[in-house]
Amino acid sequence: MTTALENTDTHIVCSVEHRSQFIETLRGGILMLLRWFVGYPLAYLTYSISGLMRAPWRLAPQSVVRGPQILVVNHTNSAFDVLLSQLASPQWNFFLVDGSRARIPLGDTLLRILRGVPLKRGGNAPLNPENTASFLGRLADLLNQGHSLTAFPEGESRYSSQLRHLRYGVAYIALEAEERSGWQLPLTIQCLGLNYENVRIAGSRCLAQWAEPIDVRRYRELFLKDRQGAQAKLLADVEGRLRDALIEADTPERLMEAHRLAHARREHRVAGVRRALQDLMAGTAEPVRQRGILWRGLPSAVFQLVAFLVFGVIGVLAWPFRAFGRLAARDPSQEICYGLLLWLVCLVSGFFVSDGRWALQFCAFTVVGARSWLWAWRRGMVS
């Protein structure tokens, strides 16, 4: 009788595990379809993205250790950072988000569907193992099952021209997960820097830069001697890799001026923007201020009047979306997300009051308006 009951219990446990694996596999497939048919169009229509697909495992797959990964990304553009990190990953990663997102209506359900993992930040000090054991167990299980994670160690999204102080969570999770697996995962940390020309303006460039991967097993000996010392060393290495992948300036205004100058020089890569920034810092170059509009290389009062009139009309029509973004966002890094949300509401609402031509006209106006605003910003005509 006992043996029969044990066999029945084992069968039930195996059935539950198989069903859970099937559901997770099905969800992963649906999320991959969502990435291809929603994620890619949304990201590449909103920004001009380069370098995102030049990941180490794509360029040199033979030199990359096969195993789960933790993708570490800077956080200056709210939901778009999450979207781009998912597009850059070989699979739809579980991603760490601020726990406050789960407290909004339907926030927890939406995060679970999208593989979001709410994280209660531990501040700037090394994490206490006693307070994070259950949370770590879930993440360790995910990594041991072959899943990967995306982390934003800066914490909440903030509009900044410099890499902010990193939290210890990513180093703690990586080292403890490796220890729980007997240092056999093997776990790799990939560092991705997202350099935005201007996070507020659609159509502007996003220069993605990858840094050299980090093999977490290299820290085994130090971890066995000093856990917190290994956390600090790994976090310092992650910070160094991220800084190598980012373009940093003393102020956001200086960084945007460097992007303007690089565009005027037709240098549209990270190296070109860095050269422009160095020239601005050294005083060997001046910020771009080209407020006049030329016709065939010569000033024309009539053409300039018409051009400014058209640009003014576009600016007035686009004002509600920009104003809504600024009013709803807590930080400039969130403005374009709220503006895009209002744009989608207007687009969908138009189908109920008009025919399909509304969508084409609305999209055409959006493209013209966004390109015009970006053109004016790059010339220094608007801020």
Side-chain angles (χ1 to χ4, degrees), residues 76-348:
T76 58
N77 197 3
S78 190
F80 273 98
D81 291 338
V82 178
L83 176 60
L84 294 182
S85 66
Q86 296 291 0
L87 300 184
S89 303
Q91 59 185 359
W92 188 282
N93 290 356
F94 287 83
F95 59 97
L96 304 180
V97 294
D98 188 0
S100 61
R101 299 287 185 271
R103 293 195 293 268
I104 64 177
L106 300 179
D108 184 62
T109 302
L110 181 61
L111 286 177
R112 290 179 183 275
I113 294 174
L114 297 177
R115 289 185 171 174
V117 181
L119 171 64
K120 183 178 180 180
R121 298 288 178 180
N124 297 330
L127 298 181
N128 186 344
E130 297 180 358
N131 297 334
T132 57
S134 60
F135 178 73
L136 169 66
R138 179 184 176 187
L139 295 178
D141 290 341
L142 292 175
L143 292 170
N144 285 310
Q145 291 169 9
H147 297 292
S148 295
L149 298 174
T150 297
F152 303 94
E154 290 180 288
E156 193 174 1
S157 176
R158 285 285 183 270
Y159 184 53
S160 175
S161 60
Q162 294 181 340
L163 183 68
R164 291 172 284 140
H165 188 85
L166 304 188
R167 312 297 178 93
Y168 272 82
V170 63
Y172 179 82
I173 292 167
L175 291 169
E176 291 289 338
E178 272 287 10
E179 186 198 33
R180 292 194 174 198
S181 69
W183 302 89
Q184 297 296 321
L185 280 178
L187 181 62
T188 304
I189 296 180
Q190 302 283 350
C191 298
L192 172 62
L194 298 176
N195 301 281
Y196 293 94
E197 183 180 14
N198 190 328
V199 297
R200 300 177 176 178
I201 301 182
S204 60
R205 292 187 180 89
C206 173
L207 307 178
Q209 184 82 353
W210 293 89
E212 183 180 353
I214 299 175
D215 187 352
V216 180
R217 293 176 299 177
R218 292 168 37 206
Y219 303 85
R220 178 179 180 178
E221 293 185 5
L222 178 59
F223 180 82
L224 295 177
K225 297 177 183 177
D226 181 6
R227 288 174 176 260
Q228 292 192 354
Q231 289 182 30
K233 179 64 170 64
L234 177 55
L235 188 67
D237 291 344
V238 170
E239 181 177 354
R241 297 290 202 280
L242 278 177
R243 291 192 185 279
D244 292 340
L246 292 175
I247 308 170
E248 296 184 278
D250 52 349
T251 63
E253 291 74 19
R254 183 69 61 87
L255 183 58
M256 288 189 289
E257 290 291 354
H259 279 283
R260 283 190 179 117
L261 181 58
H263 175 76
R265 294 175 172 177
R266 300 184 183 276
E267 296 180 347
H268 307 315
R269 294 291 182 264
V270 171
V273 180
R274 283 175 173 163
R275 281 193 294 269
L277 180 60
Q278 290 175 357
D279 292 341
L280 289 173
M281 296 289 290
T284 58
E286 294 294 331
V288 177
R289 292 290 186 272
Q290 190 177 352
R291 299 185 181 278
I293 300 178
L294 305 179
W295 172 250
R296 294 180 179 178
L298 298 174
S300 171
V302 175
F303 183 76
Q304 185 157 310
L305 178 62
V306 173
F308 272 105
L309 179 62
V310 172
F311 176 70
V313 172
I314 292 175
V316 171
L317 295 177
W319 177 83
F321 303 96
R322 295 176 59 83
F324 177 78
R326 294 190 175 186
L327 290 174
R330 293 181 299 173
D331 184 81
S333 64
Q334 303 171 352
E335 288 183 14
I336 196 169
C337 295
Y338 285 102
L340 179 62
L341 179 62
L342 179 60
W343 183 87
L344 290 173
V345 170
C346 293
L347 180 64
V348 174

